[in-house]
Amino acid sequence: MKTIGVLGAGQLARMLALAGIPLGFKFLYVDPSHSSPASLLGEQIVAPFEDATALQKLADSSDLITYEFENIPVSVVRKLAQTRSVFPPPIALESSQDRLLEKQFFNQHGIDTAPFYPVDDQASLEHAIAVLKLPLILKTRRFGYDGKGQFLVKSLEDAITAFNQLGQKGIIAEGFVKFDRELSCIAVRGIDGATFFYPLVENFHHQGILRLSLAPALVHNSDLNLQASAQVGRILQALDYVGILAVEFFEKEGRLIANEMAPRVHNSGHWTIEGAETSQFENHIRAVAGLPLGDPKPRGFSAMINIIGSMPDATKVLKIPGAHLHDYGKEPRAGRKLGHLTIRADSLEELNRTLQENLNLLPLETAKQWQNRLNR
Ligand code: AMP
């Protein structure tokens, strides 16, 4: 039986194992946190990602290695890649860890982004404001997630406050995009270069955290899915990518503007577990293990609702038609992703009706945003 080594043992690793175990794989994780969500499904080495002994054990005991978390030091992944196959390739991790390099990479491959400018001192901050104009967004180049490490800047005073809070260097200023909606494209590429794209997904964020994904996204312009797959296809080729890649876009007047990419399975792809012929998790395992990829075709219509802060009563939510509950087994904490609920339906009308009856599962603003979209 082959062993897949995973850097990280959070919910993404857990769902990878839930997809990989039926295919005959064993799982071994390295993660610094005790009682991680994936630890029930294989062996976990509890150690920091840089721990040389833990990494040696991971390399010795695994047939191949993947990761569920993009803030792992690239040096760790490169070291592992000297003796074991590591997918997605380390170059993908490196390009996605720094927002400046990532945006430059997108532009080099003909993919539009918001205009951006690096900020490393007061002079470059002033220059960025002069070039990009207000409002703009200041973000840390590295280690930001779920809206953390970023500020919307509307005035010069805001800019100074954000600049100081972000540490005065290693910052990127981005023009504020007045987007119509947020979309993501999940793609998978195999070792042989075979590539599949899931349909675009529409995402609703609140306080920087994904709350709701609708799949497939309704597209009035049938060209949009083609635009996304052409762009993401270029990224996959350029990186000689293997595994699942997620790219987040803004849509503005029928045009796609790339925001960021994640070289891993992605929260906006969780709907694929019940809502697609082959889930993103199964396809990631198939890709990294060199197996034929599965059909990404959607099964009807899905809404994925993230569960943040506290788990709902399972005896209630499981009465919702088409509902599937995923509890990651994490300790409840304000703002923490504890699980998700996917509602699947055969028709869009049925999905909308079920969502309408269960809007209490969403933050008020997300519910309003969804209703506004419905009424357009
Ligand atoms: P990020 O951490 O880059 O994924 O940003 C989190 C959220 O902030 C995004 O999902 C958007 O809702 C918003 N956002 C990020 N960058 C921009 C931008 N340049 N213009 C407008 N909104 C943005």
Side-chain angles (χ1 to χ4, degrees):
M1 189 180 263
K2 284 196 173 169
T3 299
I4 299 183
V6 188
L7 292 161
Q11 65 263 21
L12 300 179
R14 175 178 167 118
M15 290 184 272
L16 283 170
L18 286 169
I21 290 168
L23 291 174
F25 294 101
K26 281 203 306 188
F27 285 81
L28 173 64
Y29 317 92
V30 171
D31 193 296
S33 324
H34 288 272
S35 58
S36 300
S39 57
L40 285 178
L41 298 159
E43 188 193 337
Q44 182 190 343
I45 305 168
V46 181
F49 294 119
E50 300 84 349
D51 185 302
T53 317
L55 294 174
Q56 192 59 52
K57 183 168 178 208
L58 184 75
D60 291 346
S61 313
S62 306
D63 294 279
L64 63 104
I65 293 168
T66 189
Y67 46 90
E68 59 134 27
F69 176 60
E70 69 264 42
N71 286 331
I72 290 167
V74 176
S75 56
V76 164
V77 177
R78 285 206 189 285
K79 178 115 204 313
L80 289 168
Q82 288 169 1
T83 56
R84 282 285 170 270
S85 297
V86 178
F87 298 123
I91 179 80
L93 188 66
E94 195 164 19
S95 318
S96 69
Q97 280 185 349
D98 182 324
R99 291 184 190 273
L100 180 64
L101 300 183
E102 184 179 54
K103 287 205 160 53
Q104 287 168 340
F105 173 80
F106 285 149
N107 291 173
Q108 277 156 14
H109 292 89
I111 299 165
D112 286 345
T113 59
F116 58 91
Y117 198 83
V119 170
D120 289 298
D121 51 27
Q122 187 97 20
S124 47
L125 176 66
E126 284 166 15
H127 191 80
I129 295 171
V131 175
L132 303 174
K133 312 276 185 296
L134 295 175
L136 56 76
I137 299 205
L138 285 183
K139 300 180 182 175
T140 51
R141 279 172 57 177
R142 300 171 68 85
F143 305 123
Y145 69 100
D146 283 350
K148 292 188 178 64
Q150 66 170 269
F151 293 86
L152 171 62
V153 169
K154 293 184 180 160
S155 64
L156 290 179
E157 294 80 68
D158 285 356
I160 300 293
T161 312
F163 174 68
N164 288 331
Q165 292 212 14
L166 293 173
Q168 304 190 343
K169 55 179 180 323
I171 300 168
I172 181 169
E174 289 181 20
F176 183 80
V177 181
K178 281 206 192 105
F179 53 78
D180 300 321
R181 57 180 180 162
E182 297 191 71
L183 299 168
S184 58
C185 176
I186 312 263
V188 62
R189 186 168 184 270
I191 290 175
D192 60 358
T195 303
F196 284 119
F197 299 90
Y198 289 88
L200 280 166
V201 179
E202 179 166 358
N203 299 313
F204 298 75
H205 292 85
H206 177 56
Q207 294 172 337
I209 305 179
L210 179 68
R211 303 298 168 138
L212 170 69
S213 290
L214 299 177
L218 286 188
V219 286
H220 302 298
N221 171 1
S222 59
D223 189 41
L224 211 59
N225 273 296
L226 292 177
Q227 262 188 58
S229 43
Q231 296 187 9
V232 177
R234 289 203 290 277
I235 300 175
L236 293 169
Q237 281 235 320
L239 297 171
D240 197 13
Y241 198 87
V242 176
I244 289 275
L245 174 79
V247 182
E248 294 187 70
F249 291 101
F250 303 129
E251 183 190 355
K252 191 178 175 199
E253 292 154 10
R255 209 165 56 89
L256 292 175
I257 299 167
N259 180 34
E260 60 180 356
M261 64 177 176
R264 55 167 170 80
V265 285
H266 193 256
N267 197 170
S268 68
H270 290 2
W271 64 275
T272 59
I273 297 175
E274 293 87 9
E277 183 64 37
T278 316
S279 78
Q280 63 162 349
F281 300 100
E282 182 175 340
N283 256 337
H284 186 77
I285 298 295
R286 289 193 193 202
V288 300
L291 295 169
L293 302 182
D295 192 342
K297 189 172 65 206
R299 290 174 173 157
F301 297 82
S302 300
M304 190 288 309
I305 297 170
N306 265 340
I307 299 170
I308 316 281
S310 64
M311 284 304 292
D313 181 347
T315 62
K316 293 209 172 100
V317 292
L318 290 177
K319 287 191 181 135
I320 301 171
H324 302 272
L325 182 63
H326 296 255
D327 182 337
Y328 307 149
K330 287 158 76 172
E331 279 303 310
R333 200 193 307 141
R336 195 174 201 204
K337 282 181 195 166
L338 300 180
H340 73 267
L341 183 80
T342 296
I343 303 174
R344 203 206 65 78
D346 288 334
S347 73
L348 186 58
E349 294 67 35
E350 191 187 329
L351 180 70
N352 285 344
R353 202 166 42 244
T354 310
L355 257 185
Q356 184 66 47
E357 286 163 5
N358 292 283
L359 284 182
N360 60 320
L361 293 169
L362 292 170
L364 199 59
E365 267 137 87
T366 309
K368 277 194 198 143
Q369 228 185 321
W370 174 75
Q371 280 181 319
N372 287 342
R373 171 151 303 292
L374 205 60
N375 296 332
R376 244 187 237 169

